[in-house]
Amino acid sequence: MTLVADPKAPRPPRGGPGRRTTRGNTELYGWIFMRASGVLLLVLIFGHLFVNLVAGDGVKAIDFGFVAGKWASPFWQVWDLLMLWLAMIHGTNGVRTIINDYAERDGTRLVLKGLLYLAFAVVVILGTLVIFTFDPCPAGSPADLLPSFCTA
Amino acid sequence: MTAVAEAPAKVGEVPSFEVTLKVLRYLPDESGSPTVAHWDEFRVQAHGTDRVLDALHQVKWQQDGSLTFRRSCAHGVCGSDAMRINGRNRLACKTLLKDLDISKPITVEPIKGLPVIKDLVVDMEPFFASYREIMPFLITTGNEPTKERLQSATQRERFDDTTKCILCAACTSSCPVFWTDGQYFGPAAIVNAHRFIFDSRDEGGAQRLEILNDKEGVWRCRTTFNCTEACPRGIEVTKAIQEVKRAMITRAF
């Protein structure tokens, strides 16, 4: 019977004998990274929230000067950098698996993942640049554009 | 009580009732042009002891002989008659009609994610291809012993749960990740790999872990527990998958 070998069915059977293997530890490391970064992000994000919103004067203390002061310290630079990178890789990997699970056509997958990786690159590069090149009082700017503490 | 009593129910009499079966029919066109699946409704007189399979038999034997489905042992052992009954994957031979809501039509569909051949019969080949890939047989090295390969009760207990699989595909075809593109190995293949990976007599564990450490292997499991819920043998499928994941991680580090 040709019917069994070639079912005229809504879904075509998998082509060729057996699948192309895609073995390797990539997905294993990805899986572990999701767990590890998740735990770390819990600490980083709640630490961030506490320092910004609760400690000291609390939420009233937040202004341009507060952020400038935080980024003047290498400790908070590293903290924010870790938070940015971990959150972006964690989130991007999560959305990647969702695309793999739900997008059925290869074309759709390619487009969605392209957009995803583009967004990842833009946010990570821009964010990293901001953290390390932030200068609250750029030299040579008109005085009325600068915050009040730039007296030099 | 008035003297005019209705005929009292006989002791031990099984209550009977009428149910409506709503079956998803699909008949491929021999000329190759696409046909659309459609629903057919059948009224069936059933007893309290009848299963969905008995109702399907009644339809096939008395109403519409063209209704096509698989069944072999009809007693929950061969795993031929997995189908989607009221939206859940079950064995038709293990689902009693009285346990379903008989006030509404009972929907019966083929299991999802596998190509339908006719009505409730699907092409199981992709499913068995994944099963073959994990090498579901004992792998040993060295000389063959002259007596049985002995194993303690504890060692046997380690993989007891996953020996119960009857390969009905209820789990794999309930998995949303499998529905997408059918590339995922699926719970059934992983369960049967688990059965050998944790068998003290087997020496192919590393090979099997290697096979399942695939882009389409255990890491695609999202622990939605659909498989555990669907398994007619009560295997803790999701737990077995997680145990295979853990074995891979301890092997890698």
Side-chain angles (χ1 to χ4, degrees):
Chain A
M1 265 306 270
T2 51
L3 253 187
V4 176
D6 175 32
K8 296 176 184 69
R11 278 165 52 89
R14 205 181 316 187
R19 77 189 83 204
R20 278 180 299 132
T21 58
T22 39
R23 283 176 210 170
N25 281 338
T26 331
E27 292 294 322
L28 182 143
Y29 293 135
W31 190 89
I32 294 168
F33 173 82
M34 291 304 267
R35 270 78 197 160
S37 63
V39 173
L40 219 60
L41 276 168
L42 270 179
V43 177
L44 288 171
I45 290 171
F46 281 101
H48 169 86
L49 287 175
F50 179 79
V51 167
N52 279 21
L53 307 178
V54 184
D57 281 342
V59 72
K60 285 181 223 66
I62 294 188
D63 57 8
F64 188 80
F66 180 86
V67 178
K70 263 182 95 179
W71 277 346
S73 131
F75 175 78
W76 288 112
Q77 278 188 337
V78 172
W79 185 292
D80 282 3
L81 187 79
L82 259 180
M83 204 158 64
L84 173 77
W85 279 50
L86 287 181
M88 283 309 289
I89 303 173
H90 184 98
T92 304
N93 191 39
V95 176
R96 181 185 68 91
T97 55
I98 292 174
I99 294 172
N100 279 343
D101 285 358
Y102 287 95
E104 292 187 25
R105 286 176 43 225
D106 286 346
T108 325
R109 260 180 217 201
L110 193 74
V111 171
L112 287 177
K113 281 190 193 169
L115 287 174
L116 176 71
Y117 296 147
L118 183 73
F120 171 82
V122 169
V123 174
V124 166
I125 292 171
L126 204 65
T128 311
L129 275 176
V130 167
I131 291 174
F132 284 118
T133 61
F134 182 72
D135 181 3
C137 308
S141 311
D144 55 328
L145 289 180
L146 289 177
S148 56
F149 55 82
C150 294
T151 46
Chain B
M1 285 288 277
T2 49
V4 200
E6 303 133 46
K10 275 186 217 118
V11 175
E13 192 186 43
V14 179
S16 89
F17 44 80
E18 219 178 312
V19 287
T20 309
L21 284 186
K22 200 173 158 202
V23 186
L24 191 64
R25 306 292 302 271
Y26 175 81
L27 178 66
D29 192 340
E30 276 305 305
S31 64
S33 56
T35 23
V36 190
H38 67 277
W39 293 95
D40 265 354
E41 292 204 11
F42 303 99
R43 294 286 289 169
V44 174
Q45 188 69 32
H47 297 288
T49 48
D50 280 349
R51 307 152 300 166
V52 173
L53 184 67
D54 297 308
L56 286 172
H57 275 154
Q58 247 192 75
V59 172
K60 187 171 175 68
W61 294 338
Q62 288 156 26
Q63 299 185 28
D64 184 349
S66 73
L67 179 69
T68 310
F69 54 90
R70 281 197 186 104
R71 74 102 175 81
S72 297
C73 78
H75 291 84
V77 177
C78 71
S80 303
D81 63 350
M83 46 189 79
R84 221 166 131 81
I85 298 161
N86 276 355
R88 283 180 54 192
N89 280 3
R90 312 175 210 230
L91 295 182
C93 58
K94 280 188 87 174
T95 311
L96 285 171
L97 286 167
K98 71 174 177 65
D99 294 340
L100 302 168
D101 180 7
I102 48 172
S103 64
K104 279 187 272 180
I106 293 161
T107 62
V108 182
E109 301 159 74
I111 46 178
K112 272 178 83 170
L114 292 164
V116 181
I117 296 173
K118 193 189 171 195
D119 292 349
L120 303 173
V121 175
V122 297
D123 179 14
M124 299 279 278
E125 188 40 38
F127 173 80
F128 286 128
S130 289
Y131 174 61
R132 280 194 300 268
E133 239 171 295
I134 56 103
M135 305 188 290
F137 40 81
L138 190 78
I139 298 172
T140 55
T141 51
N143 294 329
E144 205 171 310
T146 47
K147 57 189 181 79
E148 312 93 304
R149 296 171 198 273
L150 293 178
Q151 184 169 51
S152 74
T154 336
Q155 287 171 328
R156 178 61 175 72
E157 182 61 32
R158 180 68 193 86
F159 61 95
D160 182 68
D161 200 35
T162 43
T163 59
K164 298 177 198 157
C165 179
I166 54 173
L167 293 170
C168 65
C171 58
T172 296
S173 62
S174 75
C175 178
V177 176
F178 184 77
W179 292 340
T180 307
D181 54 8
Q183 296 299 302
Y184 174 40
F185 269 84
I190 301 172
V191 158
N192 284 282
H194 178 285
R195 183 249 170 274
F196 286 101
I197 290 168
F198 294 95
D199 187 336
S200 60
R201 299 163 296 187
D202 186 83
E203 290 167 51
Q207 275 182 72
R208 277 185 264 266
L209 288 177
E210 192 63 40
I211 292 164
L212 288 175
N213 193 15
D214 187 289
K215 198 166 139 276
E216 306 294 345
V218 289
W219 306 111
R220 281 206 83 176
C221 169
R222 307 276 172 262
T223 57
T224 58
F225 283 89
N226 277 22
C227 48
T228 304
E229 206 172 295
C231 182
R233 306 284 295 182
I235 301 172
E236 293 177 289
V237 184
T238 313
K239 187 182 169 199
I241 299 175
Q242 301 314 304
E243 284 174 357
V244 174
K245 279 186 191 170
R246 188 194 287 161
M248 274 176 198
I249 290 170
T250 42
R251 195 177 68 114
F253 292 98

